[in-house]
Amino acid sequence: MATSTNLGFPRIGANRELKWAVEAYWAGKIDAEELQQRAALVRRSHWDLQRKAGITHIPSNDFSLYDHVLDTSVMVGAVPERYDAPEGPVSLDTYFAMARGRSASDDAPGVPAMEMTKWFDTNYHYIVPEINRNQVFSLRSTKPVDEFLEAQALGIQTRPVLVGPVTYLLLSKSDDHSFDPLLLLEGLVDVYENILKRLADAGAEWVQMDEPALSLTLTDKQRSAFGRAYARLSSALPGLNILVAVYFGDLRQNTKAALALPVQGLHIDLVRGRADLENILAKLGEGVSLSLGLVDGRNIWKTDLEETIATARRAASVLGHDRIFIAPSCSLLHSPVDLDNEKNLDEEMKSWMAFAKQKVREVATITHVLNGGSARVAGKLAANAAAMASRRTSTRIHNPVVKERSASVTPEMSRRTSAYPERRKAQQQVLRLPSYPTTTIGSFPQTPEIRKARASRNRGELTTAEYEQFIRQEIENSVRFQEETGLDVLVHGEPERNDMVEYFGEQLDGYVSTSNGWVQSYGSRAVKPPIIYGDLHRPAPMTVDWIAYAQSLTRQPVKGMLTGPVTMLQWSFVRDDQPRSETCRQLALVIRDEVGDLERAGIRVIQVDEPALREGLPLRREDWDAYLEWAVECFRIATSGVEDRTQMHTHMCYAAYDDIIDSVAAMDADVISMENSRSDGTLLDTFRTHPYPNEIGPGVYDIHSPRVAETDEMSSLLRRAVDVIPSERLWVNPDCGLKTRRWDEVKPSLRHMVEAARELRGQS
Ligand code: GLN
Ligand code: ZN
């Protein structure tokens, strides 16, 4: 018999119960005991749900109050010294201090949080382990055992999930860059041995060790670490079955290493690594179980049951049913919780989708059919086949006009009429900007009043006309402020936007927003990505009225503000029935049309933001070029349909460009603004070795901090920039948009910024 399994369930709760509990604890509204009780309720309801769905291997320890990598650091005793918790169990407050920092109080100085970064290519952020040469690992938390026993007491046998020791070390950082964390593998494995022994004693039959690092490009030395670690764990724990889970990609160069692991089970991601299957089936060790990651854990689409059952049958025909586990491709942490909760989606739309709860049912159904039980689920299979057929043919999804336009994009469409030097002349004539022109990145503070007005409009308490009047007033205030401050290129401030992707998604055919499709982003934070379900069509201009209104108020140029195609793609759930590149091209065409409408409305400067370009990079370096090629092409399609004299800007909020600078240059924006002030000169170093051909605005102040930026700091940053960037191509702007700041922070900072630019011009 094949076994139905799950790798992990979203921990936030169907109504973000965990968020509310954790935030209430932070605010001092509930105590630790109540927090733990509420967390236990969330865990229990998820275990129950999976049991009822028919999952045999139900995960435990997939839960976390903040982050599972942080949990691992605490478990193995990797608590940096500054948290002053040298030994023994790690308290809840130390745990949260590691996650979020601690502010100074009367009796203790403040302590910064640990660094956070993206978990592989997902939008989930983990707390980066800090491991130094002298790190001594020791078991300082028994969370995996505690949660295993908690489930056991409820009559539920679970499969504990741990971040594998090699992935853990490979994700860590050290202030000593020459230090190889794998040198500490032996000591770390000692701790894992200890915890696995305790799990075995408590009655665990299987444990799941997540080693997604096996889907990265590794050195031989890194690869061999897996063999060493698991040889030790297997021999120390003969009675415990270990499943090594690899996900987020195919195995490629790591296939041999994965197959050689002396473990009882291997999980592979068949959504992203379908091509691996035959090879693995042919070479998998005697008696090793294969966990087939068939249900997409990274997206919201319903699984094609007929197709996945056929794949499962093929695997079972080679290995025998007993060695088959059916699973999602990766933990369901990355999918929203429950489609049944959705109010925004009609029945047909829902019939195409599955969130975490629906996905575990799919796993159970596939397993059931594979085990010979088709009769009982005949209805489900028929409904699934009907949904698949309707997705293939629905006119809500397929728009021949859009497809045809996308297919007939010509190379000219991704090229501006003239090269940058020509365009620059034309733009100077129209814009007549001073040297070191000043501008901002687009948004101004999203004040409580703005949020309130939007909420009132959504509840119907404000009419559309009243709401629009309110927004116009906001825009006018922003324009007046910018004029008074002396900024050169103004913005309208984006007060009408709830979110830079959702705002556009709401206005496009082929896009839909959910009411409750939250996915954890970090800690208690979740995002609600809109869904691209069909061919993308723009029924009407999306931004022109607002921008044109702002322009009507002033003689200064107002910069039109759009979100770029790659960022729209990256921050949405996307179609799985066509390549990402194709969806991106449709987005590019839609934005191109908007750019054209802005230009026709008299807008002379237009910015197309691409903050997500970098995070779209594939996990493996060898796949980068293919991605960058279509991503840059899409940006160019979106931005090249304008006259020479229209100045096109782009913006990205990171400073690490070394490895993609050629692609950034190939985007051929007239002006690019980027984060710089926090990066210790990384950005400027890049431009020293790779001169950027067009104009650049390296951010002169950090918008992430409430601190008011001082003129001197910005002047000295600018003087450093002038060393690297020719002065006639240097812009002056903050690191990023100002929506998260308050006006009383923004106003003085921008005044100082304008002062700094004037100083540089020799005007003061
Ligand atoms: N134009 C956007 C803003 O100013 C850009 C945001 C971003 O880069 N993430 O808010
Ligand atoms: Zn930004």
Side-chain angles (χ1 to χ4, degrees), residues 478-492:
S478 305
V479 168
R480 295 296 167 240
F481 159 69
Q482 294 171 84
E483 283 183 323
E484 282 157 25
T485 308
L487 283 142
D488 300 305
V489 173
L490 313 193
V491 296
H492 79 296

Side-chain angles (χ1 to χ4, degrees), residues 115-389:
E115 185 184 319
M116 183 165 75
T117 196
K118 273 173 173 288
W119 175 244
F120 295 81
D121 62 348
T122 71
N123 209 0
Y124 175 84
H125 300 70
Y126 69 95
I127 301 287
V128 182
E130 288 177 33
I131 309 280
N132 286 313
R133 209 175 279 278
N134 57 359
Q135 173 70 47
V136 178
F137 294 112
S138 66
L139 187 68
R140 295 184 60 186
S141 151
T142 52
K143 176 177 179 288
V145 185
D146 304 342
E147 288 181 13
F148 177 80
L149 291 172
E150 183 181 315
Q152 198 178 56
L154 297 167
I156 296 173
Q157 172 75 11
T158 58
R159 183 174 84 188
V161 184
L162 298 163
V163 177
V166 183
T167 293
Y168 177 78
L169 287 178
L170 291 178
L171 294 183
S172 71
K173 63 160 195 182
S174 166
D175 25 349
D176 172 358
H177 294 297
S178 64
F179 167 64
D180 174 6
L182 286 176
L183 289 173
L184 298 178
L185 184 63
E186 296 302 319
L188 183 63
V189 170
D190 287 342
V191 178
Y192 272 82
E193 238 183 80
N194 184 342
I195 195 81
L196 293 190
K197 263 208 186 88
R198 289 168 191 243
L199 283 168
D201 290 345
E205 289 148 18
W206 279 92
V207 291
Q208 172 187 325
M209 306 291 273
D210 283 352
E211 294 283 12
L214 277 167
S215 61
L216 302 176
T217 307
L218 301 172
T219 63
D220 288 344
K221 200 160 136 220
Q222 291 171 329
R223 220 175 277 132
S224 67
F226 292 92
R228 274 193 287 139
Y230 287 94
R232 274 194 56 200
L233 293 175
S234 288
S235 64
L237 296 140
L240 184 66
N241 296 302
I242 297 177
L243 172 81
V244 168
V246 188
Y247 44 80
F248 298 151
D250 53 9
L251 283 163
R252 237 177 274 188
Q253 310 90 335
N254 305 327
T255 309
K256 227 171 124 190
L259 286 167
L261 294 176
V263 291
Q264 290 68 42
L266 177 67
H267 170 87
I268 54 173
D269 180 339
L270 290 175
V271 173
R272 295 201 171 173
R274 181 67 178 79
D276 282 345
L277 183 62
E278 286 305 319
N279 188 29
I280 302 242
L281 288 177
K283 295 180 185 155
L284 190 69
E286 198 69 26
V288 179
S289 294
L290 187 63
S291 169
L292 308 172
L294 290 165
V295 170
D296 193 348
R298 297 281 301 268
N299 214 330
I300 46 71
W301 300 108
K302 189 170 268 186
T303 305
D304 184 335
L305 292 179
E306 194 183 316
E307 190 189 304
T308 46
I309 289 167
T311 305
R313 285 203 169 116
R314 163 72 195 144
S317 75
V318 178
L319 302 178
H321 283 68
D322 291 349
R323 287 169 64 191
I324 299 293
F325 293 174
I326 304 299
S329 60
C330 60
S331 166
L332 298 176
L333 178 63
H334 312 291
S335 73
V337 182
D338 186 1
L339 187 62
D340 296 339
N341 262 349
E342 271 313 310
K343 296 177 193 71
N344 270 13
L345 307 174
D346 60 53
E347 286 310 310
E348 184 180 44
M349 198 72 78
K350 281 188 182 176
S351 78
W352 296 327
M353 296 177 186
F355 293 179
K357 182 169 121 190
Q358 289 71 35
K359 285 175 194 284
V360 296
R361 290 182 181 159
E362 291 179 340
V363 165
T365 304
I366 297 167
T367 313
H368 186 74
V369 174
L370 187 63
N371 287 336
S374 20
R376 231 185 58 209
V377 292
K380 275 191 198 163
L381 295 180
N384 180 271
M388 291 300 133

Side-chain angles (χ1 to χ4, degrees), residues 30-47:
I30 63 172
D31 62 11
E33 196 182 330
E34 180 162 1
L35 172 61
Q36 299 294 8
Q37 276 168 7
R38 291 203 201 171
L41 280 180
V42 172
R43 290 193 287 268
R44 178 185 188 150
S45 82
H46 294 166
W47 287 326

Side-chain angles (χ1 to χ4, degrees), residues 441-443 494 500 561 607 609 611 651 653 736-737 739:
I441 306 305
S443 57
E494 306 180 24
M500 66 186 286
M561 202 54 60
Q607 177 172 309
D609 290 326
H651 164 73
C653 9
C736 190
K739 59 179 163 244

Side-chain angles (χ1 to χ4, degrees), residues 9 36-37 62 166 293 408 411 561 575 694:
F9 199 80
Q36 299 294 8
Q37 276 168 7
D62 54 339
V166 183
S408 53
M561 202 54 60
R575 298 172 69 167
N694 308 354

